Amino acid sequence: MASLSFPLPKTSHLLSGVQPYSHAENCSLFGRSILRSRRDIGDSMVANIATKQPLIAPAPPPPPLEKEEARNNGKLAAWTSIKQEKWEGEVVVEGEIPSWLRGTYLRNGPGLWHIGDYHFRHLFDGYATLVKLHFDGGRARAAHRQIESEAYKAARSRQRISYREFSEAPRPDNFLAYIGELASLFSGASLTDNANTGVVKLGDGRVVCLTETQKGSIVIDPGSLETLGKFEYSDPFGGLLLHSAHPIVTETEFLTLLPDLVNPGYLAVRMEPGTNERRVIGRVNCRGGPTPGWVHSFPVTEDYIIVPEMPLRYCLKNLLRSQPTPLYKFEWHPDSKAFMHVMCRVSGRLVASVEVPLYVTFHFINAYEQRDEDGRVVAIIADCCEHNADTSILDKLTLQNLRSSIGQDVLPDARVGRFTIPMDGRPYGKLEAALDPAEHGRGMDMCSINPLYLGKMYRFAYACGARRPCNFPNTITKIDLVEKKTENWYAEGAVPSEPFFVPRPGAADEDDGVVISLVSDRNGEGYAVLLDGPTFQEIARAKFPYGLPYGLHGCWIPSE
Ligand SMILES: CC(=O)/C=C/C=C(C)/C=C/C1=C(C)CCCC1(C)C
Ligand SMILES: CC(/C=C/C=O)=C\C=C\C=O
Ligand SMILES: [Fe+2]
């Protein structure tokens, strides 16, 4: 893989002033020409001298990217690691960026999937790469930078993984080390802080990158993208180790769910701007299963927090394994059933808890209250990207699959799953497709809405849909949940990331704004695409001078 050369020098005419960064210490991760080979490093770095056992799990069979390079002329940027620690420069804009769009779009994601010659297996394992686009006066400046988590720094200096990532774990050398690993797992010491999933701006202006481990909450400078340090929670809930990767963040609060793996349940907590202390709103005990369901995200309405209890549950046994299992750190428990709980945001009281059909989701889209003519709440509507209760999507996100099945129609079906949760004490809720899934090519995920409609009745969602055949969502799709229709942006072979909606200041209509998505192109290139909210036509493209690896979630920081 490292034989790919970094494209910057060829396109240096695109750069204004700021030159590509390279750093002797960091170079070891990026590029074989300057990479110390295993032989150079010496056996002591890669093997236990006494046992001659490798300290890291053996690399997966054959280096997948090299195979893929041959098939794809080495060009698709999406599943190819970023090649430099950081870069910053002006990007060439085609089309017109609206003059009202003033601010910074940040996107986080797992952009580096190898350490030396060791290749990660799963998309979610990669070390975090932050990408930034700053818009002002119709121009755009871009940057990217690796987040300096402890996990990444240790991997960089030791040339092997040292913390438990999503699917990978350092392999203990011997039985004693294994016992130590167990202890450090329970204390959280061995869990990763690789904050590769999302990035949020708190009400007090601090910008925090997140993953599902609480220790992986890292404060960054949105200007320089520099890692400022760990976000230290000053409350006692760190012992629960995990949290939702997607807190609900507004100008006035930060809400999240903490799964309790020991006494199966969830704590709903709230943190105010300017503090690091989360306070308990309430607790929900699980109704099924040995452990809580995976809670990657959750929705809220104006008055309620919706706590999902998915039958895809954390698995303590799998947490201890160093080799990936079919469902990684999770287990599918259809017999444990699926539930949706509704908690009052103010009192923390559980006001509804219903059994629902089995489901699998990473991402809730939005939720709102349905009222009768007297204003009483009769039901909660909660929408999500639902994978037809099929867990196979997790394994479809291995890098080997993503790299080797390009063009094949192997993306499992998904839909906009709409829960209806009755609020009158009835025990069952409904789950149905909110629109015909054929409208979005029977695949969809990575959603956003107009943030001003958070928790309120809404009409439009933006997501990546599917134009088949495909192995990964490949369209940017505007979903009209009232007309039950979609509009799509598509570029052959390109992989767009989460479409992020920025409302136009002062707008009256829900879709009045722009949608930003960073695209990893089949020609090895990367660009940001801007779509006009109402017409969904492309209005501008800002081209990076290098390919962008796929990324996950973003946020918007308006200019003062
Ligand atoms: C990127 C994404 O969508 C999900 C990332 C999830 C991660 C990194 C989860 C990590 C975990 C551990 C490091 C150990 C504990 C379990 C689990 C939450 C899966
Ligand atoms: C990339 C992804 C989930 C990311 C989590 O943050 C899901 C993709 C699903 C494909 O349909
Ligand atoms: Fe996510």
Side-chain angles (χ1 to χ4, degrees):
M1 106 181 272
S3 60
L4 291 172
S5 64
F6 193 66
L8 273 166
K10 285 189 222 138
T11 50
S12 55
H13 61 285
L14 294 172
L15 312 178
S16 88
V18 182
Q19 286 305 306
Y21 166 88
S22 93
H23 184 289
E25 183 200 330
N26 300 329
C27 286
S28 59
L29 286 177
F30 306 114
R32 185 155 295 168
S33 56
I34 42 172
L35 181 82
R36 291 182 301 160
S37 70
R38 273 177 183 231
R39 238 171 299 120
D40 299 336
I41 297 166
D43 278 356
S44 61
M45 289 288 285
V46 291
N48 177 312
I49 296 171
T51 61
K52 287 283 176 212
Q53 292 300 307
L55 291 175
I56 51 175
L65 189 58
E66 279 166 24
K67 255 171 64 185
E68 187 41 45
E69 270 173 31
R71 184 173 296 138
N72 197 44
N73 298 327
K75 294 223 170 119
L76 179 69
W79 320 121
T80 305
S81 291
I82 195 87
K83 295 191 179 56
Q84 295 195 198
E85 282 279 318
K86 63 176 183 178
W87 176 81
E88 179 173 1
E90 190 139 338
V91 280
V92 173
V93 175
E94 288 166 14
E96 214 168 301
I97 296 173
S99 56
W100 60 261
L101 191 69
R102 293 181 59 250
T104 301
Y105 169 68
L106 292 178
R107 187 200 72 177
N108 196 358
L112 178 72
W113 293 287
H114 70 288
I115 281 298
D117 285 343
Y118 183 74
H119 294 260
F120 281 148
R121 277 169 268 226
H122 199 279
L123 174 65
F124 295 165
D125 286 328
Y127 291 110
T129 306
L130 259 182
V131 183
K132 162 181 136 167
L133 260 179
H134 179 75
F135 299 98
D136 196 17
R139 293 164 69 108
R141 245 187 117 67
H144 85 256
R145 190 161 179 163
Q146 289 304 109
I147 296 177
E148 299 265 331
S149 60
E150 294 306 320
Y152 174 59
K153 286 191 293 188
R156 189 174 61 189
S157 65
R158 302 171 74 194
Q159 291 289 289
R160 64 184 178 95
I161 68 164
S162 305
Y163 291 85
R164 290 174 175 268
E165 301 296 337
F166 173 79
S167 82
E168 310 264 346
R171 183 182 269 189
D173 292 340
N174 50 45
F175 187 68
L176 260 185
Y178 175 71
I179 299 299
E181 261 290 299
L182 294 193
S184 65
L185 175 61
F186 289 112
S187 72
S190 65
L191 291 180
T192 189
D193 65 341
N194 172 23
N196 68 2
T197 306
V199 50
V200 294
K201 180 190 146 281
L202 306 184
D204 55 29
R206 288 176 293 177
V207 178
V208 184
C209 295
L210 296 160
T211 180
E212 302 212 356
T213 58
Q214 292 191 38
K215 68 193 278 202
S217 306
I218 294 181
V219 187
I220 60 107
D221 175 338
S224 63
L225 301 187
E226 190 188 341
T227 298
L228 299 179
K230 193 170 160 188
F231 186 95
E232 302 275 3
Y233 298 101
S234 61
D235 52 55
F237 309 118
L240 292 173
L241 304 180
L242 306 181
H243 59 182
S244 162
H246 294 273
I248 302 285
V249 185
T250 64
E251 284 303 305
T252 55
E253 61 187 359
F254 171 104
L255 297 176
T256 198
L257 294 181
L258 314 178
D260 181 344
L261 304 183
V262 178
N263 300 304
Y266 309 85
L267 272 194
V269 294
R270 177 173 188 272
M271 186 170 74
E272 292 205 349
T275 77
N276 287 34
E277 183 184 1
R278 297 162 298 182
R279 298 201 168 174
V280 176
I281 300 173
R283 181 188 158 95
V284 177
N285 291 326
C286 288
R287 286 179 57 186
T291 49
W294 186 10
V295 61
H296 182 73
S297 72
F298 64 98
V300 295
T301 69
E302 288 176 301
D303 292 336
Y304 302 103
I305 296 171
I306 318 302
V307 181
E309 186 180 338
M310 195 162 62
L312 180 60
R313 295 174 183 272
Y314 299 95
C315 172
L316 295 174
K317 210 168 57 213
N318 291 354
L319 275 173
L320 300 174
R321 298 217 161 105
S322 59
Q323 287 298 309
T325 70
L327 289 177
Y328 304 92
K329 306 290 187 274
F330 308 99
E331 227 170 27
W332 179 239
H333 285 275
D335 47 321
S336 76
K337 302 188 176 157
F339 304 93
M340 294 290 273
H341 312 280
V342 181
M343 181 188 286
C344 174
R345 277 169 84 142
V346 176
S347 68
R349 268 190 25 245
L350 195 63
V351 293
S353 174
V354 296
E355 185 183 332
V356 292
L358 302 184
Y359 62 98
V360 168
T361 187
F362 299 105
H363 298 122
F364 280 88
I365 303 172
N366 198 13
Y368 57 89
E369 294 148 23
Q370 228 172 30
R371 292 173 187 268
D372 64 14
E373 57 278 8
D374 300 323
R376 272 187 300 257
V377 180
V378 290
I380 302 286
I381 304 297
D383 294 338
C384 68
C385 309
E386 206 275 311
H387 293 270
N388 291 322
D390 176 1
T391 57
S392 68
I393 182 64
L394 256 188
D395 225 28
K396 288 283 185 284
L397 301 179
T398 58
L399 293 159
Q400 179 142 27
N401 177 61
L402 293 167
R403 289 167 182 160
S404 65
S405 65
I406 293 165
Q408 295 169 36
D409 201 19
V410 295
L411 179 72
D413 289 0
R415 58 182 178 164
V416 179
R418 170 159 285 189
F419 290 98
T420 306
I421 306 168
M423 294 287 275
D424 57 3
R426 275 181 289 162
Y428 296 103
K430 281 197 302 198
L431 170 59
E432 297 160 326
L435 76 165
D436 181 353
E439 278 290 326
H440 47 76
R442 294 176 288 104
M444 62 96 45
D445 212 303
M446 306 305 283
C447 49
S448 75
I449 58 164
N450 181 331
L452 301 171
Y453 287 72
L454 175 74
K456 300 186 176 132
M457 171 102 83
Y458 74 120
R459 174 170 174 183
F460 298 110
Y462 307 88
C464 291
R467 173 141 346 155
R468 291 180 183 270
C470 61
N471 70 345
F472 194 77
N474 58 356
T475 64
I476 305 175
T477 298
K478 175 182 179 183
I479 302 172
D480 182 335
L481 291 158
V482 171
E483 292 295 324
K484 302 196 181 297
K485 290 272 166 242
T486 62
E487 287 176 82
N488 296 287
W489 175 96
Y490 170 80
E492 202 179 335
V495 183
S497 66
E498 176 185 79
F500 188 88
F501 184 86
V502 183
R504 187 174 64 77
D509 294 333
E510 185 183 332
D511 59 351
D512 189 352
V514 294
V515 166
I516 306 173
S517 170
L518 297 182
V519 179
S520 313
D521 192 51
R522 66 167 168 172
N523 298 320
E525 297 181 346
Y527 57 90
V529 67
L530 265 64
L531 307 178
D532 175 51
T535 62
F536 222 56
Q537 295 303 301
E538 180 171 330
I539 48 175
R541 224 174 243 219
K543 201 167 170 318
F544 280 66
Y546 52 91
L548 289 174
Y550 183 70
L552 297 173
H553 305 290
C555 75
W556 176 250
I557 304 173
S559 292
E560 291 299 304

